Amino acid sequence: MFRRHFLAAAAAVASARRQPGAQRGRLLLPTDTPDELGFRIMWYNPVPPIDKQTYRLQVTGLVERPRQYSAEALGEFPRFEQSTRLKCVQCWSARTTWGGFRFQEIVDQVKPHAKATAVRIDCADKWYEYMSLDEMVEPGVMLCTEMAGKPLSDQHGAPLRLLAPSKYGYKSAKLITKITFVEEGGGSMACDIGPYYSPTGEILAGYDHPLDLGPRERRKIPGGEILDY
């Protein structure tokens, strides 16, 4: 059993080092210790940070004008900033100020076909998510290139991540490398992992532990985006 897990982990690391545009050397690894903003770091596979100089976001699928965007080009979209609490399905949350742009900017450039109703989002660590086009243009949903007044860090998914405030954090995909417009959406890689995940990822009523407010804080929440604190 141990040998199988060891070999699987080694294969994942080797695959990560072969990722196009990846930096050599260190890997991005998960940790349960909150960072200075109160966020825990979660990854599906250990991967090297993305090289911002060679990075290209591919936007393809059911569109008239497939595009590739460099990290610099993503920074040229009209910029938005908002304070949003990110809620993890593992019962913790943290709030910070996010900066980036709205998905509509990409829609306007690539011109999706009429039959496109959703997108598949692929990430450098092999994670994927599906989001409907309606979900992607909801108020507060944004593609983030900044966090807490600084460029998005490698640990938080640089150079591009999604922020979906009304959904658990696993839907806010990080290290985004490809967005594909599709005729019909799907669920989430998370649904293949465990029973605590749903395809749509809406935050349910219950309790939250906001780590940015203190290690012993506990708040009752009604479900949906957390707006009260």
Side-chain angles (χ1 to χ4, degrees):
M1 178 68 73
F2 174 80
R3 177 176 172 79
R4 287 203 303 272
H5 287 308
F6 176 81
L7 291 174
V13 170
S15 175
R17 295 189 187 278
R18 293 194 297 268
Q19 287 294 311
Q23 296 180 20
R24 293 186 177 274
R26 69 186 180 94
L27 295 176
L28 301 174
L29 300 173
T31 174
D32 282 335
T33 302
D35 66 10
E36 67 277 9
L37 298 174
F39 290 83
R40 291 176 178 167
I41 307 300
M42 317 289 286
W43 298 107
Y44 179 59
N45 279 312
V47 292
I50 288 176
D51 185 338
K52 282 65 167 188
Q53 298 301 314
T54 60
Y55 171 81
R56 295 295 183 271
L57 170 68
Q58 298 182 53
V59 184
T60 186
L62 300 176
V63 298
E64 293 181 15
R65 302 172 184 172
R67 295 287 301 269
Q68 290 191 6
Y69 297 95
S70 66
E72 182 179 7
L74 295 178
E76 295 175 356
F77 285 126
R79 181 179 175 278
F80 287 83
E81 189 174 273
Q82 65 190 46
S83 174
T84 299
R85 181 166 293 279
L86 186 67
K87 167 66 174 168
C88 183
V89 74
Q90 296 178 350
C91 296
W92 63 268
S93 74
R95 176 180 291 276
T96 193
T97 299
W98 306 86
F101 61 94
R102 305 299 188 198
F103 180 67
Q104 188 64 46
E105 299 295 335
I106 288 180
V107 171
D108 292 343
Q109 290 195 1
V110 302
K111 308 295 184 185
H113 296 166
K115 61 182 180 180
T117 67
V119 290
R120 173 178 164 129
I121 300 172
D122 285 282
C123 306
D125 64 347
K126 303 298 185 182
W127 190 266
Y128 66 82
E129 292 291 342
Y130 284 92
M131 298 279 283
S132 73
L133 297 188
D134 288 340
E135 289 174 322
M136 290 293 288
V137 297
E138 287 178 355
V141 173
M142 65 189 303
L143 289 161
C144 298
T145 57
E146 301 174 15
M147 182 181 181
K150 299 177 182 179
L152 192 66
S153 67
D154 295 331
Q155 289 78 10
H156 287 283
L160 186 67
R161 68 169 296 160
L162 178 68
L163 178 67
S166 67
K167 301 179 183 297
Y168 289 117
Y170 64 84
K171 297 295 289 186
S172 292
K174 301 183 288 187
L175 296 173
I176 298 174
T177 57
K178 187 176 182 181
I179 298 176
T180 306
F181 285 76
V182 295
E183 186 170 357
E184 185 176 351
S188 164
M189 175 169 278
C191 299
D192 297 331
I193 296 175
Y196 302 107
Y197 303 90
S198 70
T200 53
E202 283 88 1
I203 298 172
L204 303 179
Y207 288 91
D208 175 46
H209 296 268
L211 298 181
D212 57 320
L213 301 182
R216 299 184 182 278
E217 284 289 319
R218 183 172 183 261
R219 305 286 181 94
K220 190 173 183 178
I221 57 174
E225 181 180 357
I226 299 174
L227 300 171
D228 294 340
Y229 55 91

